[in-house]
Amino acid sequence: MLRKKLSKLIVGIMAAVMLSGGMSGVGQAAFASSNASVVSAEARTVQNATTPQEMLTHVKDSKVSTINVTAPIALDKDIITAINSRTTQLTIEVSGNGVLEIPTNTFTQAVTIDGNGQSNPSQSLITIARGTGKTGELLRIANGVQSGVVIKNVIFNNGNDETQSAIIRNGQNDKVTLDSNHLVGKGSLVLQNGALTGFTLENNTLGEGKLLSRQTLPVTFNAVPGPTVINFSGSIKDDGTSVNVQVGSTATVIVKDASNKEVFKDVTALDVMNGTSNRFNEAKFSLDVTGLAQNAKYSAEVTFNIVDEVKNKYTRVQTVNNLETKGTFSSTVTSTGNNSATITLNHGDLATTSYPLTLEVFNGSTSVFVQRDIRHSTTSTSVNATGLASGTNYTYEIRDNANKVINTGTFTTTSSTITGGGSTGGSVTSGDLTTNDINRADIKDVSVSIPVGNTTLANSLRDGRDYKTNIEGVTVTYSNGKVEFTGLVPEKDYRDLTITYTDKDGRTRTVKVPSFKTKVSETKLRQFIVDVYRYSLDRVADERGFAYWEDQLKNKKTSPADFVKNLLNEPEFINKHKTTTAKIEGLYQVIVNRKSDSQGLSFWTKKYDDLVARGYSESMALRVIVDEMVNEQEFKNRVRDLGL
């Protein structure tokens, strides 16, 4: 009692001295420092735990907001009871060598860790987080916990590194329930070593993370701009490692203009397809954003909110920038002569990124005229195609700088009558190759080597120069008594191939080549190109186009999907396939090289007809279908088989 009175007296005297200004500055500072240390100790809310006893002490202390676990700690009954009894927020940060473990045979009844979460799990009081230097699981359920384990209303924070290990590792226990937990960040909640027999996983919110370590939930997303519209489509599939995507899943589409102003926002329900023995559930959507400006740039964000059959929720976000709406574009044949034609390009609002353009004229499948580097300086540009034959039907195509066809047309040159003794010129015939030469030729898929049996012709070719063919893209050389052609197309009939060259006297000579057909493709990639041309355009490829696409695909300058979409954008496909069924059957042949199955045919024909009924043009509806089909797994498998 005397000691307590003396203490009070001393404190009273010190306080009086301070108030009267009688204590020195040093004394005041010392007192203030001592007092501050007491306050700091009371306010300190971060504690370390390396033993179960330290863990229990800190969990019970409502003033502790964070416990840093740096060593393995077994969660016994007392610790779990204290966790479940918390009334204030607590973060258990597992760092370094730390791990929380529910040990074997410690409990006689089900182990329940309850974060005291409200109806919204994000309001849970308990957070278990990955700390500095921590790899591997944060919570380990040991083998043989026979009583069962229930974990609910807990926030698990795994950070934003999706390569991190799963948070929970389960031993060989068949009574584990994860209910209404919330995963923050990426990565996965549960390490899946095998079958999940006895697991109950429901009502968990996974955000951008995964429920299971083997899960992928692959998302595909496409945006196809038109003149004043952008079609957004996408899908998400169950990958077979977890429960199926269910009705109630949605996609939120937000579109912003170049100034980052939001111009569109909509939530659309995902169309869920039932699974089959060969296909897991899949949810798709297709949405038109209309009323946009022509030739304008936009960005978009699509958020998939996925719900599975036991109400676990996932979020997947896809973004795309530099979407540019297109402008109108047309062309007109303004005049024709007996050996020329004038084609006028009306540029309209075609995106500037499409330039420069190329115009090419064809006689059948043979290119006869090319004008490259067409720029957009005025509202229209006229191109004079020359060197044509009189009274002949021609087609032409206009391509953008990505070699995508944006316009086509046809014309016929006028006929001319030649009177008198015929035509003269500097070209003479010095003899032709023969059928016997062709029979001895080494014919391959994209080249042919023809021995020249005519000695006079062989000598003239040997002494000649400037060898050319009448087919753009096909080159010819002469060496060791043989004419070598390269740049050919597999499985193509060559009936009118000629060689021109300059002989030693400076005269231009012409050599006709008998008909022959190249062999089938020697590589899978070449066969792929041949098949896509055949089924999309109903013709063999032109030589220049075939060589271009082989180079683009082989060197990964263009994806197989973009190649397919480019050719299917041609009007020939729609003109050839008149009905919806014919179009879908054609797409199956082009994209996966087979006939359709009944379920797929029904799905895609309905989707195509629905798009047309909503005001899509045939070409726009086709583009939407193609964009989705090339993202199907079957096409991806075909691409993988090509080695691309």
Side-chain angles (χ1 to χ4, degrees):
M1 180 66 70
L2 178 61
R3 186 174 299 172
K4 288 184 178 179
K5 289 182 178 180
L6 286 173
S7 296
K8 290 182 179 180
L9 177 62
I10 292 170
V11 171
I13 293 171
M14 291 181 68
V17 171
M18 289 182 65
L19 290 172
S20 64
M23 182 177 284
S24 68
V26 174
Q28 290 183 35
F31 183 85
S33 175
S34 174
N35 191 49
S37 66
V38 173
V39 173
S40 175
E42 291 181 349
R44 188 169 62 225
T45 59
V46 178
Q47 298 287 354
N48 295 324
T50 58
T51 66
Q53 184 57 48
E54 289 178 341
M55 184 74 176
L56 178 60
T57 299
H58 299 324
V59 172
K60 285 184 173 181
D61 187 348
S62 62
K63 296 178 182 178
V64 174
S65 63
T66 301
I67 301 174
N68 186 17
V69 176
T70 57
I73 292 181
L75 300 180
D76 58 25
K77 181 179 179 181
D78 291 338
I79 295 175
I80 291 177
T81 299
I83 289 174
N84 295 341
S85 301
R86 286 283 300 199
T87 58
T88 57
Q89 298 279 347
L90 174 64
T91 297
I92 302 172
E93 188 173 282
V94 183
S95 305
N97 295 322
V99 65
L100 304 175
E101 183 174 28
I102 298 177
T104 305
N105 298 327
T106 302
F107 304 92
T108 58
Q109 57 185 3
V111 180
T112 299
I113 298 177
D114 188 347
N116 275 340
Q118 313 304 315
S119 58
N120 181 355
S122 65
Q123 299 300 314
S124 298
L125 298 178
I126 304 300
T127 297
I128 298 177
R130 185 177 298 278
T132 304
K134 176 59 184 174
T135 59
E137 68 273 12
L138 308 185
L139 177 61
R140 181 187 304 143
I141 305 173
N143 293 339
V145 181
Q146 301 298 326
S147 57
V149 177
V150 177
I151 301 173
K152 61 182 181 179
N153 302 319
V154 174
I155 298 174
F156 293 96
N157 191 334
N158 206 32
N160 288 321
D161 185 356
E162 60 186 347
T163 65
Q164 287 285 8
S165 302
I167 288 180
I168 300 173
R169 176 192 289 268
N170 177 45
Q172 297 176 357
N173 304 294
D174 59 1
K175 297 179 182 179
V176 177
T177 298
L178 298 180
D179 183 2
S180 302
N181 299 291
H182 187 94
L183 178 62
V184 177
K186 298 183 178 180
S188 51
L189 186 59
V190 178
L191 176 66
Q192 183 181 2
N193 286 323
L196 294 172
T197 305
F199 250 90
T200 301
L201 307 168
E202 58 189 14
N203 301 309
N204 299 288
T205 300
L206 289 311
E208 294 186 71
K210 301 182 293 184
L211 185 65
L212 308 171
S213 58
R214 294 183 185 177
Q215 217 170 27
T216 59
L217 282 177
V219 171
T220 60
F221 169 64
N222 295 287
V224 181
T228 59
V229 62
I230 300 176
N231 173 261
F232 293 94
S233 61
S235 67
I236 185 163
K237 292 183 180 180
D238 175 53
D239 56 4
T241 61
S242 66
V243 290
N244 292 328
V245 177
Q246 294 294 302
V247 173
S249 300
T250 63
T252 301
V253 179
I254 298 175
V255 179
K256 296 181 180 180
D257 62 17
S259 66
N260 208 36
K261 178 183 177 182
E262 186 176 300
V263 296
F264 179 88
K265 181 176 181 179
D266 187 50
V267 179
T268 183
L270 299 184
D271 182 17
V272 177
M273 298 177 62
N274 291 326
T276 67
S277 58
N278 297 318
R279 186 175 187 176
F280 298 102
N281 272 15
E282 181 177 7
K284 297 185 175 186
F285 85 97
S286 180
L287 175 69
D288 282 337
V289 178
T290 59
L292 303 177
Q294 289 190 4
N295 198 26
K297 291 185 177 181
Y298 295 91
S299 61
E301 178 181 276
V302 177
T303 302
F304 292 85
N305 294 300
I306 302 107
V307 181
D308 67 22
E309 63 185 358
V310 288
K311 299 182 180 180
N312 293 304
K313 302 177 182 66
Y314 308 79
T315 301
R316 296 293 184 269
V317 180
Q318 299 283 306
T319 58
V320 59
N321 298 312
N322 298 320
L323 288 170
E324 187 167 356
T325 52
K326 299 180 179 180
T328 56
F329 181 91
S330 63
S331 65
T332 307
V333 179
T334 50
S335 66
T336 57
N338 58 18
N339 61 3
S340 65
T342 300
I343 303 168
T344 300
L345 285 61
N346 303 303
H347 298 287
D349 293 320
L350 184 65
T352 56
T353 53
S354 298
Y355 292 87
L357 307 179
T358 298
L359 184 148
E360 187 164 10
V361 179
F362 297 90
N363 181 357
S365 61
T366 302
S367 174
V368 295
F369 175 86
V370 180
Q371 177 67 55
R372 296 184 173 86
D373 201 35
I374 301 172
R375 302 285 175 172
H376 181 193
S377 57
T378 59
T379 57
S380 64
T381 302
S382 294
V383 177
N384 189 28
T386 59
L388 309 179
S390 63
T392 303
N393 296 324
Y394 291 96
T395 61
Y396 67 86
E397 63 183 31
I398 301 167
R399 300 186 297 273
D400 64 15
N401 65 357
N403 208 44
K404 183 177 182 179
V405 176
I406 59 175
N407 191 257
T408 61
T410 62
F411 64 88
T412 303
T413 52
T414 58
S415 300
S416 62
T417 303
I418 301 176
T419 60
S423 60
T424 61
S427 179
V428 296
T429 300
S430 60
D432 298 323
L433 296 174
T434 66
T435 302
N436 188 49
D437 294 334
I438 294 296
N439 291 337
R440 296 186 296 122
D442 180 15
I443 302 176
K444 296 183 178 180
D445 59 343
V446 294
S447 65
V448 59
S449 176
I450 306 173
V452 181
N454 184 323
T455 303
T456 301
L457 175 58
N459 291 336
S460 179
L461 287 167
R462 179 196 63 200
D463 298 332
R465 55 186 170 83
D466 299 333
Y467 306 99
K468 297 178 182 177
T469 73
N470 61 326
I471 300 177
E472 185 177 357
V474 177
T475 59
V476 59
T477 58
Y478 179 81
S479 177
N480 299 322
K482 296 179 181 179
V483 176
E484 308 274 354
F485 292 94
T486 57
L488 304 177
V489 173
E491 301 179 59
K492 184 170 183 177
D493 287 308
Y494 287 89
R495 301 180 181 277
D496 301 305
L497 183 59
T498 61
I499 306 168
T500 60
Y501 68 99
T502 303
D503 67 12
K504 65 180 181 179
D505 298 321
R507 293 177 298 180
T508 300
R509 292 185 174 270
T510 301
V511 179
K512 294 181 180 179
V513 181
S515 299
F516 66 90
K517 184 176 182 178
T518 48
K519 298 294 181 64
V520 297
S521 300
E522 295 179 3
T523 68
K524 291 181 179 180
L525 176 57
R526 290 174 184 169
Q527 189 61 50
F528 172 67
I529 298 171
V530 168
D531 289 340
V532 173
Y533 263 93
R534 177 185 294 127
Y535 292 119
S536 62
L537 305 183
D538 197 26
R539 64 175 173 86
V540 295
D542 59 280
E543 288 72 15
R544 184 189 54 77
F546 184 88
Y548 172 83
W549 287 118
E550 184 179 21
D551 173 70
Q552 290 285 308
L553 293 167
K554 184 177 181 179
N555 294 299
K556 295 181 172 57
K557 301 175 185 176
T558 299
S559 70
D562 286 340
F563 164 60
V564 168
K565 288 189 282 188
N566 186 288
L567 289 196
L568 286 173
N569 196 43
E570 300 278 359
E572 289 103 310
F573 183 84
I574 292 178
N575 294 337
K576 175 188 175 185
H577 302 86
K578 300 296 184 183
T579 66
T580 301
T581 299
K583 289 181 177 66
I584 300 304
E585 289 284 10
L587 291 183
Y588 266 91
Q589 290 286 3
V590 172
I591 295 172
V592 292
N593 199 29
R594 67 171 175 85
K595 293 183 178 180
S596 69
D597 55 274
S598 58
Q599 182 183 6
L601 179 63
S602 174
F603 174 81
W604 293 115
T605 52
K606 180 180 182 300
K607 187 174 186 67
Y608 180 89
D609 288 339
D610 287 345
L611 290 170
V612 173
R614 287 161 52 192
Y616 280 66
S617 66
E618 285 188 316
S619 59
M620 180 64 81
L622 188 69
R623 288 168 63 187
V624 172
I625 299 297
V626 171
D627 277 333
E628 294 190 27
M629 290 184 77
V630 296
N631 282 292
E632 296 284 319
Q633 190 60 47
E634 189 172 0
F635 180 74
K636 293 179 181 179
N637 292 341
R638 187 182 184 192
V639 171
R640 188 182 303 113
D641 187 53
L642 296 174
L644 299 177

